[in-house]
Amino acid sequence: MSSPEGADAARAVPGVVRDAAGDRLARAASIGRGAAVLAFDVGGTDIKSALFDENGTALGLRRTPTPPLGPDMPGRLVARLHDLAAELREQHPQIVPRAVGLVVPGIVDADAGIGVFASNLGWQDAPLRALAGEAFGLPVAFDHDVRSASWAEHVLGGARAYSNAVVLIIGTGIAGAILVGGRPYTAGGYAGEIGHSPIAEGPQCPCGARGCLETVASAGAIARRYTEATGAVVDGAKEVIARANAGDDVAARIWNEALDALTLAIAQLTAVVAPEAVVIGGGLSRAGGALFDELHRRLAARLSFHRIPALVPAELLGNAGILGAALRAREVA
């Protein structure tokens, strides 16, 4: 399936044992019985890969660095996935995958199999499904990472009781996905960019717009804004929240502004989409009641006749993307 040199190169890549929030790589939940599949969840910094057997168990689950930016990033990425798959198949020769699930960030047209745009991965209109299909010689399911994560949360996790839901992943940025009637709403890959919904006139967002939600309310923004205001380097948003609870006025202001921005965004979604639930994952979801209880209180104060959605913690944590990739792969196996 790959050249010895390619396999050796893949083996030389050290695994990533902790995610950006500092949590160790957890064992993925079972996806249930079905065809054996390969699954890949590609991020800007690392790739999560696994071989799922017929019982739905993730074998060889591992994180490895994403190839660095450079010429022909789509081709080099697929070559890396090919080598990782070769390792998995060598380690588990009794498991014969019937399909591949590949999920990536950015703007994704899943129907066309195109990575429309991903600034942190350096591609535009990349025919990723076709490239992967040619490399693997297997059917390939291709989708957006957060949309696939939301599908896994719907099938296996926090959104499984709801047909109409919004999934928010609040980490370095804010990614989102919308489920309507039990299916993802995609709009050609443009739906679900909740992190880039405008909530104010500023600050400037790296995307080029002004006042995007994630510039104020992401975990990354909370920590960054506190450091900019005080000069003190903090250990992420969790430390800012702890300082706010301890009476730090600057931390309290920044946390309050983040909560107000999230409340506004969820209120807008409630008025327009009326989700039964908003499922919140990512690093900020670990704030527990400081986030969920306060958001519910602020939503109730802001809205009137609207159906206030349940605010539900995501259950699959960092494994939602690869579980979603595996579930999608089974649809084409």
Side-chain angles (χ1 to χ4, degrees):
M1 187 170 180
S2 92
S3 70
E5 297 154 294
D8 287 343
R11 289 189 190 90
V13 176
V16 179
V17 297
R18 292 183 183 273
D19 66 16
D23 292 336
R24 290 188 66 82
L25 180 59
R27 182 178 64 83
S30 170
I31 61 171
R33 290 194 60 81
V37 295
L38 287 159
F40 301 98
D41 178 7
V42 175
T45 57
D46 56 66
I47 300 165
K48 189 173 287 185
S49 56
L51 174 63
F52 286 75
D53 65 14
E54 289 86 350
N55 293 318
T57 302
L59 305 174
L61 178 60
R62 178 186 179 199
R63 293 174 88 126
T64 51
T66 304
L69 288 176
D72 190 25
M73 181 61 176
R76 288 187 297 112
L77 172 65
V78 170
R80 171 63 58 80
L81 302 183
H82 193 258
D83 289 339
L84 290 170
E87 286 191 46
L88 287 165
R89 296 191 67 173
E90 183 179 338
Q91 294 162 3
H92 306 282
Q94 74 281 12
I95 308 299
V96 180
R98 304 299 181 190
V100 177
L102 170 59
V103 303
V104 300
I107 297 173
V108 173
D109 186 340
D111 293 336
I114 301 294
V116 178
F117 179 72
S119 59
N120 62 341
L121 288 168
W123 64 55
Q124 186 168 354
D125 295 327
L128 290 166
R129 185 172 62 200
L131 290 172
E134 182 179 353
F136 286 100
L138 293 169
V140 175
F142 175 67
D143 208 343
H144 186 265
D145 55 354
V146 176
R147 199 156 54 229
S148 293
S150 76
W151 182 245
E153 285 288 347
H154 176 61
V155 175
L156 305 168
R160 61 185 176 275
Y162 307 100
S163 295
N164 302 292
V166 170
V167 177
L168 286 179
I169 308 299
I170 308 176
T172 304
I174 297 179
I178 301 170
L179 290 163
V180 178
R183 302 297 300 178
Y185 174 71
T186 66
Y190 288 90
E193 292 290 343
I194 298 163
H196 294 285
S197 58
I199 49 84
E201 287 303 309
Q204 189 78 20
C205 181
C207 79
R210 300 190 315 276
C212 292
L213 176 65
E214 69 175 42
T215 66
V216 175
S218 67
I222 291 167
R224 182 176 63 253
R225 295 181 74 222
Y226 183 83
T227 296
E228 289 172 352
T230 66
V233 178
V234 291
D235 183 21
K238 60 185 178 182
E239 184 175 340
V240 179
I241 297 168
R243 291 188 180 207
N245 292 334
D248 183 322
D249 289 342
V250 176
R253 173 179 61 80
I254 288 170
W255 178 229
N256 184 65
E257 289 171 355
L259 287 168
D260 276 348
L262 283 168
T263 300
L264 176 58
I266 295 172
Q268 291 170 335
L269 287 164
T270 299
V272 176
V273 183
E276 299 164 87
V278 175
V279 180
I280 302 176
L284 200 62
S285 69
R286 297 174 180 84
L291 174 69
F292 289 90
D293 295 346
E294 191 61 25
L295 278 179
H296 189 275
R297 184 186 71 78
R298 294 184 188 213
L299 277 172
R302 185 171 193 115
L303 298 174
S304 57
F305 63 88
H306 311 80
R307 178 180 65 188
I308 296 177
L311 302 178
V312 182
E315 295 181 6
L316 305 177
L317 301 177
N319 287 323
I322 197 162
L323 291 168
L327 289 168
R328 288 299 190 206
R330 281 195 170 169
E331 295 176 6
V332 300

